[in-house]
Amino acid sequence: MTGNGSLERLKREGRIVVVGASLAGLRGAETLREEGFAGSLTMIGDEPYEPYDRPPLSKQVLLGKATADRTDLPRRRALDAQWRLGVPATGLDMAARRVRLADGDEVEYDRLLIATGVRARPWPKEEEAELDGVFVLRTRDDATALERALAQGPRRVLVIGAGFTGSEIASACRERGIAVTVAERGAAPLVGALGGVIGEVAAEMHREHGVDLRCGVMVTGLEGDSAGRVRAAHLSDGNTVETDVVVVSLGAMRNTEWLGGSGLGAGPRGIACDAGCRAFDIRGIVTDDIYVAGDVARSPHPLFGYQFLSLEHWGNAVSQAETAAHNMLSESTERRPHIWVPAFWSSQFGVNIKSVGVPTMGTEILIAQGSLSERRFTGVYGYQERVIGAVTFDQSKWLQFYQQLIETTAPFPPSFPTVDRRPEGQRPVDADFPDPSVPTHGPTVTVSGYSPDDRRLTFTPARH
């Protein structure tokens, strides 16, 4: 349905299917209706719930201040949609324009929006992952189960991984008075997202709030008792942590497996799309009728060297879904690019952390305002002599200013004086991100060579 009045026909009587009934899917569907789409709209979701908000799950819900079933996302308008909830999509026929569902049904479309998001990365040893007391945290059901376990007053909680979610879980445990150990394979919490300078501040926050923080180690195994309940975790440094609740917080996996064999350019890193949110097929050719948005999308960003970025950010999901929906109903000359500046927030140990841009691209950091020791500061990241990102600890009122610096490719370090500049902020220092070429945990096996005769296998031993 393109050209010769077909776009108006699509708006009037077309069929649009949204796979993924979470934040991006909901905002995309609402935008379709707001822009005049009057045809049939089908919402497909693998969970049995209508769209809900995920950030409160690791904060208010774990603290017992809200229940997971009270996290429904507010609606901007009525959708008049057919909801297919609790029935995951299992396949896509691009030629026939059909989505296959787990119950054997098929749904035809004229335009398809994929917003299937991510899921929590499970503990890799399946038998250990099934022990009673081992959790992940991504869904409403995950949060309900974990909060119930915390309410029972466990002796100790072990959190595996000290990224943002793991740190928020540790913070919630301490606020509830529960002993908690955090095992992080990196040198400090948040080091992969914000670098070593900020990671040291995060580590101090953990320890000052009573977290038993173990960095530079990995959990090598979980041990259960005769009843099948987890009782201990073994670490790579030879130590053992006695625990009856383990929370695996090892990042996320993108939900793309259902697209295997479809011909769409989808894989473990997400679904590649152009700046207008149109998905690529496996040949690298952009599709005309399939769009993608939210955590599962990978799109080029002009502000960051046209890198294909996958952003697991609340605001990005909203913005990209709105752009995708607009472009689905627009002529090519009226389409717009998705150029949202990445931003996220976290609340842990009583500190509000916010960031804009892409700090992980930064090679240097300047503490432009405030002081690291006071846990109230603004850190500005530089890359190739331009401002590339910023992070604030309890100083978010300045963030919009630094976002403008990023958007205007302002020089780094900032050449002007700032409010509350301290001696430590007179010159930038190494942002101290981990070197991705250096293994940080177990042994690494690398296979190289194109032809069978040239194949080589390199074994890099673990640090411990």
Side-chain angles (χ1 to χ4, degrees), residues 127-128 130-134 223-231:
E127 288 187 3
E128 297 176 1
E130 292 177 353
L131 289 170
D132 187 17
V134 178
E223 181 182 335
D225 60 18
S226 58
R229 182 171 184 80
V230 67
R231 58 169 297 275

Side-chain angles (χ1 to χ4, degrees), residues 156-160 179-183 211-214 235 241:
R156 177 172 293 277
V157 173
L158 170 66
V159 180
I160 305 176
V180 58
T181 294
V182 173
V211 175
D212 172 28
L213 179 64
R214 316 280 186 97
L235 308 184
V241 177

